[in-house]
């Protein structure tokens, strides 16, 4: 039944085409009857157009001669102006005599065409003389004898042109009649050919139906190819994700060493100056981690899927670390760095706000050679908060301002090469401000500094009472029972040393395995309270090692340690049989929280005061 439907449609199409063809035949017959009458009307119009062009040129030649004679006789300015006007009108006739239509109307007669061109050239040849004397009446009067001679020659040529045109028009009429006869015969032949064509059309339609079936088959084939192309595109997208995961792992691994060893160093006996310097290193590591996270999550920024964690916090808790961090850079360049803000609390994402401010303040410091950089925070009506970062730097040209918030765009590449930068900072700031519910902009003049500003509209900012100075607390680290057994499976030596150093601060001397294979062997040879398992290792990775341990019936708590920071990595760890997932850099706070969650029974007994003083260095 389905195969018969195309043939039924083809039958309807053929019937329709037959009716259309019959209508065409009727139309041809009507055209045949009216052809001779229409051709006569066209021929009459042709003669009139051709005659008028020749007659008009000849008449204007005569008028031009009359104007010359009158001006020569009277020398009056009015007659001279009339002379110039008559020449302009005479000159305008050249466009008719040189047009393709002039000779085409009289059958393409070459003799008439050449005569028309000759008259036109003669008229145009007078233009330099007329133009030269147009502003000088005496000069023009002196040139009239010459112009009269040329005008009379042109008048003779226009008379000859009129005769040629009349003769050509007569010949054209004869040709038109012959053309009508030929056209009539052609129509008769056309009718015959049309009839044959209709028969051929029917056969072609049948062939087209067969081709339609073949086209449907080809369409199915193309659909299959498109599906395969889509699969390839998805594979490319997965490759991109894999690349981001690899970059995440490779960058976070050395950063884990920086942050982890800084925390271990902070727990040793340091004087106040050393403690401050170590704290700056740690804060710098945290801020670098923010930058890395933003670069790795640029695809999420583009897709508008940035995670925002809102909470109520004091603005000073964000501004003070930034000021301390940037102070050394400002001092090294001799720049006065000032932060002017009221005591405020707001509801927003402190990490994202810190990232925006670090980018903007750092950008101002980067492009300011002398003077000052000033951050001002003002509370506006309706709980809106306005941040302004004003500098005395190089400024920005007005034409370059629209480029500032575009990815990988750097306005002054020479300055950027000296100061560094990827061109992502301002673009990320714009996306983050808009995600937080605000607007960002800039006011700048080249050579006169810049003022970057942004406003947060939905942050419910309020004036707050100044926070009381914090009383220094004794540094106390979470302690575990001496019999706590922990295995660290990590192929990177630095990462192993960091994990071991931090665990030792909590009273645990862990065992270590350098790859997944050794980790399986050690996990099965003796009991452990908890296993920290790296994801990516040679020989046998953490996922495979965990699966093997579970297959052997071992139920020890396993926590994944990895530099990969994507949700898919967390899912992969849990699917392999791990109990939890901790992303690198590994910090003391993360380890303490993990041990609290999974080994609460192994916590060493402490006084309530000591438990309250357990420090949390770094970020969870």
């Amino acid at each position: 039944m389905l195969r018969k439907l195309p043939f039924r449609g083809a039958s309807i199409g053929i019937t329709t085409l037959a009716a259309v063809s019959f209508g065409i035949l009727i139309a041809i017959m009507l055209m045949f009857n009216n052809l001779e009458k229409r051709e006569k009307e066209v021929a009459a119009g042709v003669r009139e157009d051709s005659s008028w062009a020749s007659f008009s040129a000849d008449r204007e030649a005569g008028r031009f001669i009359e104007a010359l004679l009158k001006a020569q006789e009277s020398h009056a300015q009015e007659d001279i102006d009339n002379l110039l006007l008559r020449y302009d009108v005479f000159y305008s006739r050249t466009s008719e005599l040189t047009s393709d239509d002039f000779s085409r109307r009289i059958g393409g007669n070459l003799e008439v065409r050449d005569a028309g061109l000759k008259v036109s050239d003669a008229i145009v040849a007078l233009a330099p003389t007329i133009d030269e004397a147009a502003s000088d009446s005496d000069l023009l009067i002196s040139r009239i004898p010459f112009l009269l001679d040329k005008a009379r020659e042109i008048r003779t040529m226009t008379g000859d042109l009129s005769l040629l045109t009349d003769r050509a028009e007569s010949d054209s009429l004869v040709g038109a009649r012959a053309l009508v006869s030929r056209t009539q015969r052609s129509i008769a032949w056309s009718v015959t050919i049309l009839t044959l064509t209709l028969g051929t059309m029917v056969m072609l339609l049948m062939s087209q139906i067969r081709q339609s079936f073949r086209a449907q088959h080809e369409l199915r084939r193309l659909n299959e190819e498109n599906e395969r192309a889509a699969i390839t595109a998805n594979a490319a997208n997965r490759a991109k994700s894999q690349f981001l995961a690899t970059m995440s792992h490779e960058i976070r691994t050395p950063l884990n060493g920086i942050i982890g060893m800084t925390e271990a160093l902070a727990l040793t006996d340091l004087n106040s100056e050393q403690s401050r310097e170590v704290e700056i290193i740690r804060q710098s590591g945290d801020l670098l981690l923010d930058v890395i996270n933003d670069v790795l999550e640029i695809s999420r920024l583009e897709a508008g899927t940035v995670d925002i964690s809102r909470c109520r916090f004091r603005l000073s808790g964000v501004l003070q670390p930034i000021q301390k961090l940037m102070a050394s850079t400002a001092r090294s360049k001799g720049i006065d760095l000032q932060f002017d803000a009221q005591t405020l609390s707001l509801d927003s994402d402190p990490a994202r706000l810190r990232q925006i401010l670090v980018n903007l303040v750092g950008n101002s410091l980067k492009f300011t050679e002398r003077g000052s950089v000033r951050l001002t925070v003002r509370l506006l009506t309706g709980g809106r908060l306005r941040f302004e970062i004003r500098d005395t730097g190089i400024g920005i040209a007005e034409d370059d301002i629209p480029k500032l918030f575009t990815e990988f765009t750097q306005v002054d590449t020479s300055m950027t090469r000296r100061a560094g930068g990827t061109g992502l900072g301002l673009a990320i700031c714009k996306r983050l401000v808009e995600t937080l519910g605000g607007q960002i902009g800039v006011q700048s003049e080249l050579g006169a500094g810049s003022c970057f500003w942004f406003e947060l509209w939905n942050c419910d900012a309020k004036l707050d009472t100044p926070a009381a100075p914090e009383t220094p607390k004794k540094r106390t680290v979470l302690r575990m029972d001496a019999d706590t057994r922990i295995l660290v499976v990590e192929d990177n030596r630095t990462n192993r040393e960091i994990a071991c150093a931090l665990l030792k601060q909590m009273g645990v001397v862990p065992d270590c395995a350098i790859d997944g294979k050794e980790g399986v062997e050690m996990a099965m040879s003796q009991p452990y309270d908890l296993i920290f398992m790296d994801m990516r290792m040679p020989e046998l990775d953490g996922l495979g090692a965990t699966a093997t341990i579970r297959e052997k019936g071992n139920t020890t708590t396993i926590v994944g340690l990895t530099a990969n920071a994507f949700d898919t990595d967390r899912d992969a760890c849990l699917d392999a049989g791990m109990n939890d997932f901790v992303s690198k850099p590994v910090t003391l706070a993360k380890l303490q929280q993990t041990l609290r969650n999974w080994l609460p029974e192994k916590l060493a007994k402490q006084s309530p005061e000591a438990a309250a003083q357990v420090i949390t260095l770094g970020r969870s």
Side-chain angles (χ1 to χ4, degrees), residues 5-76:
L5 289 177
F7 289 99
R8 180 179 298 175
S11 176
I12 295 173
I14 292 171
T15 303
T16 303
L17 287 175
V20 172
S21 299
F22 181 75
I24 293 174
L25 288 174
I26 298 299
I28 290 176
M29 292 175 63
L30 294 174
M31 286 189 294
F32 181 86
N33 291 331
N34 295 327
L35 179 62
E36 185 174 0
K37 180 180 178 181
R38 293 180 61 83
E39 286 296 330
K40 288 180 179 179
E41 294 174 354
V42 172
V46 168
R47 290 196 300 274
E48 183 179 351
D49 291 342
S50 301
S51 298
W52 173 254
S54 299
F55 170 75
S56 178
D58 187 65
R59 183 188 63 185
E60 293 301 330
R63 290 179 176 177
F64 179 60
I65 292 172
E66 291 175 1
L68 285 169
L69 292 172
K70 190 173 182 180
Q72 185 181 38
E73 181 181 351
S74 67
H75 290 194

Side-chain angles (χ1 to χ4, degrees), residues 43-114:
V46 168
R47 290 196 300 274
E48 183 179 351
D49 291 342
S50 301
S51 298
W52 173 254
S54 299
F55 170 75
S56 178
D58 187 65
R59 183 188 63 185
E60 293 301 330
R63 290 179 176 177
F64 179 60
I65 292 172
E66 291 175 1
L68 285 169
L69 292 172
K70 190 173 182 180
Q72 185 181 38
E73 181 181 351
S74 67
H75 290 194
Q77 184 61 42
E78 180 181 356
D79 293 332
I80 292 174
D81 293 339
N82 183 60
L83 168 61
L84 296 174
L85 175 63
R86 296 320 313 171
Y87 178 74
D88 289 339
V89 176
F90 192 24
Y91 187 91
S92 68
R93 302 308 178 197
T94 59
S95 60
E96 298 177 354
L97 299 177
T98 57
S99 66
D100 294 337
D101 291 337
F102 178 75
S103 59
R104 181 174 54 78
R105 293 191 192 106
I106 42 108
N109 190 297
L110 297 179
E111 188 177 3
V112 174
R113 185 197 65 181
D114 293 339

Side-chain angles (χ1 to χ4, degrees), residues 425-529:
L426 294 179
I428 291 175
C429 287
K430 181 176 185 295
R431 292 181 182 273
L432 290 177
V433 168
E434 292 173 351
T435 303
L436 291 175
Q439 183 181 8
I440 190 171
V442 61
Q443 299 166 347
S444 184
E445 182 179 346
L446 191 62
S450 304
C451 177
F452 285 87
W453 61 268
F454 67 93
E455 291 184 2
L456 300 182
W457 301 329
N458 302 317
C459 63
D460 190 25
K462 297 179 181 178
L463 290 174
D464 202 358
T465 56
E470 294 185 0
T471 303
K473 297 179 180 179
K474 180 182 178 181
R475 289 192 171 190
T476 306
V477 179
L478 181 70
R479 303 294 296 179
M480 305 296 293
D481 287 341
D483 62 345
T484 304
R485 301 293 308 279
I486 293 179
L487 172 63
V488 177
V489 184
E490 169 65 70
D491 65 308
N492 185 280
R493 179 179 177 181
T494 301
N495 291 342
R496 285 199 308 271
E497 291 181 358
I498 291 169
C500 291
L502 295 177
L503 288 171
K504 287 177 181 177
Q505 293 293 336
M506 291 182 280
V508 177
V509 180
D511 294 336
C512 294
I514 62 173
D515 56 40
K517 184 178 179 181
E518 184 178 359
V520 172
E521 294 175 354
M522 294 181 66
M524 300 308 300
S525 64
Q526 51 189 311
Y528 288 97
D529 297 303

